[in-house]
Amino acid sequence: MISGCRAIIEWKAKACLGCPPASCRFGHIKETILWALFFLLKKDLSEGKSFFLYMKCCERAREKAGEYKIELYEVQLFNINSIKGYVEAVKKFIAQHPDVKMVYGRGWSWGILTGEELIKGPCKEYLDAITIEIPIVLRAHDGHTLWVNSKALEINGITSETEVPQGGVIETDQSNGELWGTLKEWAMWLIALPEYSLNQYITAMTAFQKKMHRFGITSILCMASVPFDVIFKACDEMQKAKQLQLRIRGAMTVNAFLSDGCWCHT
């Protein structure tokens, strides 16, 4: 659920809930928001005693249980501080998986960008320099933008003439009208995202569970996401096999299809 930088939160006598530090020893200090996700101190502590909570956190605490699959099946870009670093990480992943047909990953940060890229995101040419033979799709660490290469745009049928979905953005180069290489919000759904089997989720959840136990974490909140159903199916299978050793609560998203053909997202 939470991984990356370490924070020590101290409560003294009768303290209720502290605030995590707003910085990260791995960088991205401006953007790092550490959330106390599932700990609430409900009992007063005896006078004079201190209560220490040791938490292992990632940037914006966004490594959800379902996203632990990134460590097994996708490129990790968290805590890398440069475009060059992102490129090297993708190259390394391809070298380690020579038979990969599509490259997916997550974790690039807006905070390392400058100029026009700070508005639009990194351009596709960085990824095209790695390969134009297989698609590369990299999600920003905030989850709201995809950075892709030309092959990913091609196989998904996206051109400069593609109709932009309501609530989405397909960035273009204003100098020549060509696609920039980033898609935001609802436009992200134009790109085919990876699908994993139930067994792959069970493998990822098992590894995630071991990692959390090393940090002394025994309860998590699983935030709603696209693979929400399969995550809980994996947990159910683990429970049936008596292998589930985490307390898991879920926060779901409710979508309502309105009569005018629009989606209402709550």
Side-chain angles (χ1 to χ4, degrees):
M1 190 83 172
I2 41 182
S3 155
C5 78
R6 297 181 177 180
I8 297 178
I9 304 172
E10 177 180 358
W11 285 273
K12 291 190 180 294
K14 297 184 180 180
C16 202
L17 181 66
C19 295
S23 62
C24 172
R25 67 187 179 94
F26 289 104
H28 308 316
I29 294 177
K30 292 186 297 182
E31 299 178 12
T32 303
I33 301 174
L34 302 178
W35 295 346
L37 293 177
F38 41 77
F39 293 98
L40 284 174
L41 186 59
K42 297 181 179 179
K43 296 182 179 179
D44 287 345
L45 301 176
S46 56
E47 190 68 29
K49 293 184 178 180
S50 297
F51 179 77
F52 293 89
L53 173 61
Y54 177 79
M55 296 178 66
K56 179 94 163 123
C57 301
C58 75
E59 277 185 55
R60 302 176 65 87
R62 292 307 299 269
E63 186 190 333
K64 308 181 187 73
E67 291 175 359
Y68 192 69
K69 64 185 185 295
I70 294 174
E71 294 195 14
L72 301 181
Y73 312 128
E74 304 179 8
V75 184
Q76 291 191 84
L77 302 178
F78 297 100
N79 306 316
I80 297 176
N81 299 316
S82 67
I83 292 290
K84 180 180 179 181
Y86 298 149
V87 169
E88 291 303 315
V90 174
K91 287 181 177 179
K92 182 178 179 181
F93 181 86
I94 294 174
Q96 293 174 339
H97 304 82
D99 298 326
V100 68
K101 303 300 181 183
M102 305 180 80
V103 176
Y104 294 95
R106 180 166 181 164
W108 60 268
S109 172
W110 287 94
I112 61 97
L113 303 175
T114 59
E116 196 171 8
E117 290 184 339
L118 185 57
I119 305 299
K120 295 184 176 181
C123 63
K124 65 182 186 300
E125 281 71 24
Y126 297 119
L127 302 181
D128 286 348
I130 301 173
T131 180
I132 56 173
E133 301 299 323
I134 60 175
I136 301 174
V137 180
L138 306 175
R139 187 185 291 262
H141 78 305
D142 62 12
H144 295 271
T145 303
L146 294 181
W147 171 27
V148 302
N149 68 347
S150 294
K151 190 65 174 180
L153 293 168
E154 176 189 333
I155 68 169
N156 286 280
I158 300 172
T159 70
S160 57
E161 304 299 321
T162 298
E163 182 179 354
V164 181
Q166 183 178 3
V169 176
I170 301 176
E171 294 288 2
T172 59
D173 187 335
Q174 293 181 352
S175 66
N176 55 26
E178 295 296 320
L179 294 171
W180 185 267
T182 52
L183 300 92
K184 300 175 180 177
E185 302 298 350
W186 287 103
M188 295 191 298
W189 296 105
L190 298 174
I191 297 289
L193 296 180
E195 295 183 2
Y196 299 102
S197 68
L198 178 60
N199 285 337
Q200 285 178 306
Y201 271 101
I202 291 173
T203 298
M205 283 297 300
T206 300
F208 170 78
Q209 178 174 259
K210 291 180 180 178
K211 185 174 185 178
M212 293 300 98
H213 286 169
R214 291 201 302 270
F215 305 145
I217 295 173
T218 59
S219 301
I220 65 170
L221 169 64
C222 183
M223 304 297 289
S225 60
V226 174
F228 188 86
D229 288 342
V230 69
I231 291 172
F232 276 85
K233 287 179 181 177
C235 293
D236 187 50
E237 292 298 316
M238 292 172 66
Q239 186 172 22
K240 290 177 181 177
K242 298 183 178 180
Q243 295 175 348
L244 184 63
Q245 297 176 337
L246 283 173
R247 294 184 179 90
I248 302 176
R249 299 181 64 186
M252 300 187 68
T253 295
V254 176
N255 290 318
F257 190 70
L258 303 181
S259 58
D260 60 1
C262 296
W263 282 96
C264 176
H265 182 78
T266 58

